[in-house]
Amino acid sequence: MKILKTVIFVALLTAGLCGCEKIDVNKLEGTWSEQYDPAVFAMDGSVSFTFDGDGRYQLFVYDALSGKSSDFSGHYMLDMFEKNTITFNPVMSDFTNVTYRIVKLTSREMAWQKMGTAPNPGVWASDYRHFVRRR
């Protein structure tokens, strides 16, 4: 009976550790453009983030309907030890900070899910965001 309990404990521990995939934050640095399957979601413009790898980002937004573009900059903070999250403007006292769970990060593709929301990729006005690396 003791052996059975030990085997079950080890199996549960292994399953728990496998579910916490670590994100390689070194892949975050660079420029990423928000992009979706056009059959599911069409963007009327573009959004690009550039991460410097030192806690700073640049955000470029282009609205094709108005023909206007905007540049923003700020800071981000990563929590890769527990939650695989990225928080924008973490030291701001106003409500500009927002946190996303990084659900995918490869050398070419990245996806975020806003914390506290349900995963709903490809749905209008969802809190799921998908990016591809710009070359």
Side-chain angles (χ1 to χ4, degrees), residues 11-85:
L12 290 173
L13 181 62
T14 303
L17 291 175
C18 291
C20 299
E21 178 184 343
K22 292 290 184 193
I23 299 291
D24 182 0
V25 295
N26 296 320
K27 293 179 182 171
L28 181 66
E29 190 174 338
T31 301
W32 297 86
S33 296
E34 195 163 11
Q35 184 178 40
Y36 301 94
D37 177 355
V40 177
F41 181 77
M43 293 182 64
D44 292 328
S46 63
V47 175
S48 296
F49 279 93
T50 300
F51 297 98
D52 72 355
D54 195 28
R56 291 183 298 272
Y57 73 90
Q58 293 283 354
L59 171 62
F60 175 77
V61 178
Y62 172 68
D63 180 356
L65 297 176
S66 69
K68 295 181 182 179
S69 62
S70 303
D71 285 304
F72 304 94
S73 62
H75 292 85
Y76 67 92
M77 181 176 68
L78 297 170
D79 177 2
M80 298 294 115
F81 296 108
E82 294 181 28
K83 302 177 185 173
N84 288 340
T85 60

Side-chain angles (χ1 to χ4, degrees), residues 77-128:
M77 181 176 68
L78 297 170
D79 177 2
M80 298 294 115
F81 296 108
E82 294 181 28
K83 302 177 185 173
N84 288 340
T85 60
I86 184 169
T87 301
F88 291 94
N89 301 320
V91 296
M92 301 294 281
S93 60
D94 59 11
F95 296 100
T96 61
N97 66 341
V98 63
T99 301
Y100 292 92
R101 178 177 305 279
I102 301 172
V103 295
K104 183 175 191 173
L105 179 57
T106 67
S107 60
R108 296 178 183 218
E109 186 178 12
M110 176 168 57
W112 305 339
Q113 180 68 45
K114 188 174 181 181
M115 293 297 288
T117 63
N120 215 1
V123 174
W124 177 261
S126 78
D127 293 313
Y128 174 85

